[in-house]
Amino acid sequence: MGLRMSQNTQAETSPDQAAGAEILLRALKDQGVEVIFGYPGGAVLPIYDAIFAQNAIRHILVRHEQAAVHAAEGYARSTGKVGVVLVTSGPGATNAVTGLVDALMDSIPIVCLTGQVPTHLIGNDAFQEADTTGITRPATKHNYLVKRSEDLARMVHEAFYVARSGRPGPVVIDLPKDILINKAPYAAAPETPHRSYRPQVEPDAAQIAKAVAQLKSAKRPVIYTGGGVINAGPEASEALRALVRKSGFPCTSTLMGLGAYPAGDPLFLGMLGMHGTYEANLVMHGCDVMLNIGARFDDRVTGRLNAFSPGSKKIHVDIDPSSINKNVPVDIPVVGDAGRVIRAMLAAWDADTTEVDRPAIAAWWKQIDEWRGIDCLKFRQDMTKGAVIKPQHAVQRLYDITRELKAKTGRETFISTEVGQHQMWAAQYFGFDAPNRWLTSGGLGTMGYGLPAAMGVQIAHPDALCIDIAGEASILMNIQEMSTLAQYRLPVKVFILNNQYMGMVRQWQELLHGGRYSESYTAALPDFVKLAESFHGVGLRAKSVDELDDVIRAMIESDRPVIADICVDEKENCFPMIPSGAPHNEMILGPEHGTTLQQGGAKSLTDEGLVLV
Amino acid sequence: MATQDTRSATISVLVENEAGVLARVIGLFSGRGYNIDSLTVAAVDPVLNLSRINIVTSGTDMVIEQIKAQLDRLVPIHKVADLAKGGPYVARELALIKVVCKGADRVEALRLAEAFRARVIDATLESFVFEMTGNTDKLDAFIELMRGLGLAEVSRTGVAAIARGTTTI
Ligand SMILES: Cc1ncc(C[n+]2csc(CCOP(=O)(O)OP(=O)(O)O)c2C)c(N)n1
Ligand SMILES: [Mg+2]
């Protein structure tokens, strides 16, 4: 094993002493780490040497440190495990920062090991020195600088505990080179609770009882769930399904929560928020009791705060007490792990003998079905040969064909996205029936997330179909990872909805800036087919609707990395849309419903709305 | 229910005495746009390796609750207490106040210092350094009076605070 690497110098030390790099790897192994996404450099060479001498942990060599973090996020989000990253000092660490903030915003457990100049040089502007703990302090849940060898093992174990406990998040361990080389003692993960960080996971029984009583009194209820349910593990999604079905209440989800409740179920209203469905947003606006589980009343979801769900009693379940009463004052706060809370609610539901007001709920559903009846996501695809592909249709077909595949072969599909219109169309038209299958950069909205994230998923699920639904602008932000796919023979599929524009930017310019498309058109795009080929992958292109299905099938059937360049309608916009700063009941439905962006925008186009993002 | 009125709050925080912990707290306040009216920090328990940070801040009830929750989720923080919420408390601050003056102003400065129970800890023929302990309002009032009498420099510690009676953080 790697721990015996330097036998000669080990003779006089105790068996539990070894070079810091070896102690580090031993701690990682004890934490159950199987994969590290990384990129080498001078400051971390001792770790690379230790990696070389062992087989337990696999190292995936990415092509950019940002991608290492996104890949670890994909790995973490699709498995529920902590994702691990290894980068060198200085530029290695600064390149990782975007990924760290992304993981922080979306509550993804990551441990990122960064190299550092030796302790005696810290503060001297040494070569490739950066104040990594200073830079990453607001970019992480917590960070460590290991200054003494005897702290190394303890800090590594603690970092994993912090990353996965409570509300998960990224943790950085900054490792000066001398710490990696000098002998350090090993310590096992502590059995005792952490000195100061002990987040509450078990909910308060009285709050649960209050919440259930409130829910049972509802006439127009809604259950609104978020990424917290996904983070609480598949059992939490199971419990959620039981609660929704037991209550018969309508359920909606944030972008991050998709898959916790099956998209095809009649009790599911689709996603809510800025590009959510008409019915989900009107239900949020008109409900009398709202149960929020693991969502954070984000501005993409609430719209204008003082007009958000004005008449409702609000129950908010979150593992992070600072999420409660942050944006929206709530009536019944419940702190705890989403899964445990839902299970406690199920038990309390049965214990409370009050009957739900079934006639009122039936009337509520009647209203909801009317809203549903307008079919807010409808679009018109011209099916004649040579017709332009609508991006919605492309996602819809991708969904249908992957579902056929699942039915036939049982092969699972995982979808990641970049950021923009294609991301919203993916969320709207791809139905997710299980948690952990949907990976998108929600909080930070990081273009360049999708390809490395899909790569991380493929590493964790070698037999699954991993597709990045991309925009032609976003994909160029981490396109170098095609090279990683080739090296490790990862058959990730990149499905580009190529509209030649930074479509989401163009849409906002249409809405708010008089259609002046300043710098939102990408001239001189690469030939994505040749690009795929030059990276040892397969390039495919669909130029019209009649070519679409064949391209999708060829993409799925290929056992190699594929870029499918889907040329879609350049002018299509993403609807429904609640412009920033508008209330939920002022949705723009789009041309299929007789409102264009300009008409819809005019009403909400106040200066106040203009300053919002 | 929470009001929209701004109130002042004195928050005491017990933290692990380790590198970077003060930066985390200050970064939290600047990053999230909270006010810091006063901040003090010192090690208070060498055995348990704890420091205490006292922060005087202001905001609506919702903001102050948010500040406490945000502080509480920092990993090296052991305890967060909103002193006014826990009952009566005492808060004290120490100031060193240099006044440069001669003649009648000098007599007046000394007379006021006595009235405010400020101690003279340094004097020259044309200056005094007063040491004064009290609550923030009292210090402010005295410093304001010295302004007309040759106030030259002020050095203040910020507020240290503790609950009255047997209650502890
Ligand atoms: C790193 C980064 N830079 C800028 C943005 C702002 N932004 C949001 S969407 C978008 C356009 C994305 O274009 P594309 O990938 O083609 O997707 P489309 O909207 O056309 O589907 C931009 C520039 C961002 N989200 N992330
Ligand atoms: Mg585009």
Side-chain angles (χ1 to χ4, degrees), chain A residues 66 98 391 418-425 444-448 470-477 496-507 519-520 522 525 568 570:
Chain A
Q66 181 193 350
T98 301
E418 307 291 336
V419 173
Q421 290 181 320
H422 62 275
Q423 177 188 29
M424 292 300 121
W425 285 317
L444 196 61
T446 312
M447 292 169 70
E472 78 297 329
S474 296
I475 194 62
L476 290 179
M477 287 216 177
I496 304 179
L497 299 181
N498 186 345
N499 56 4
Q500 312 271 319
Y501 278 95
M502 297 172 195
M504 192 55 95
V505 173
R506 181 187 47 62
Q507 177 164 346
E519 305 293 327
S520 54
T522 314
L525 280 169
V568 299
E570 293 180 14

Side-chain angles (χ1 to χ4, degrees), chain A residues 192-381:
Chain A
T192 49
H194 189 271
R195 264 168 71 74
S196 55
Y197 185 66
R198 293 190 291 262
Q200 179 182 349
V201 289
E202 210 54 67
D204 182 66
Q207 292 301 96
I208 294 286
K210 259 202 244 174
V212 167
Q214 185 70 258
L215 285 169
K216 286 199 166 181
S217 76
K219 295 187 188 311
R220 299 185 311 281
V222 65
I223 298 177
Y224 141 50
T225 68
V229 180
I230 309 282
N231 277 339
E235 318 80 50
S237 295
E238 279 307 315
L240 172 68
R241 290 158 196 226
L243 180 68
V244 173
R245 285 172 192 153
K246 189 184 278 285
S247 64
F249 292 175
C251 177
T252 177
S253 167
T254 66
L255 180 73
M256 294 308 292
L258 294 176
Y261 197 81
D265 189 285
L267 297 179
F268 190 63
L269 306 177
M271 180 173 76
L272 82 167
M274 184 174 271
H275 294 290
T277 65
Y278 185 68
E279 52 271 30
N281 285 328
L282 288 189
V283 161
M284 290 291 280
H285 192 79
C287 65
D288 70 342
V289 176
M290 175 189 298
L291 170 60
N292 167 348
I293 311 174
R296 57 188 175 92
F297 291 112
D298 174 70
D299 54 75
R300 296 292 99 158
V301 157
T302 60
R304 189 162 85 220
L305 270 180
N306 63 10
F308 173 68
S309 193
S312 61
K313 291 278 181 208
K314 297 177 184 74
I315 305 161
H316 187 178
V317 178
D318 208 298
I319 199 158
D320 177 4
S322 78
S323 281
I324 297 176
N325 287 320
K326 182 174 67 178
N327 305 328
V328 173
V330 299
D331 303 281
I332 306 177
V334 183
V335 176
D337 166 78
R340 291 179 200 233
V341 170
I342 304 170
R343 284 193 292 277
M345 282 184 169
L346 282 165
W349 190 281
D350 293 336
D352 182 325
T353 52
T354 325
E355 285 301 315
V356 170
D357 186 346
R358 287 293 157 204
I361 305 292
W364 182 224
W365 271 111
K366 193 154 166 286
Q367 168 69 77
I368 293 170
D369 286 337
E370 260 171 52
W371 290 330
R372 255 186 187 163
I374 78 146
D375 193 6
C376 67
L377 292 179
K378 78 176 165 210
F379 60 92
R380 211 167 315 164
Q381 173 67 57

Side-chain angles (χ1 to χ4, degrees), chain A residues 137 140-144 147 158 162 167 194-197 320-330, chain B residues 1 16-21 23-24 27 32 48-50 62 65-66 69-70 72-78:
Chain A
R137 202 169 284 126
T140 52
K141 179 173 175 185
H142 193 55
N143 61 19
Y144 300 88
K147 284 198 207 143
E158 198 181 301
V162 170
R167 179 177 176 175
H194 189 271
R195 264 168 71 74
S196 55
Y197 185 66
D320 177 4
S322 78
S323 281
I324 297 176
N325 287 320
K326 182 174 67 178
N327 305 328
V328 173
V330 299
Chain B
M1 214 42 275
E16 197 73 18
N17 182 11
E18 65 180 25
V21 66
R24 286 181 209 286
R32 293 186 183 267
L48 293 177
N49 193 37
L50 296 178
M62 203 162 151
E65 290 307 312
Q66 184 56 208
Q70 291 290 352
D72 207 28
R73 75 187 189 131
L74 294 180
V75 171
I77 286 199
H78 287 257

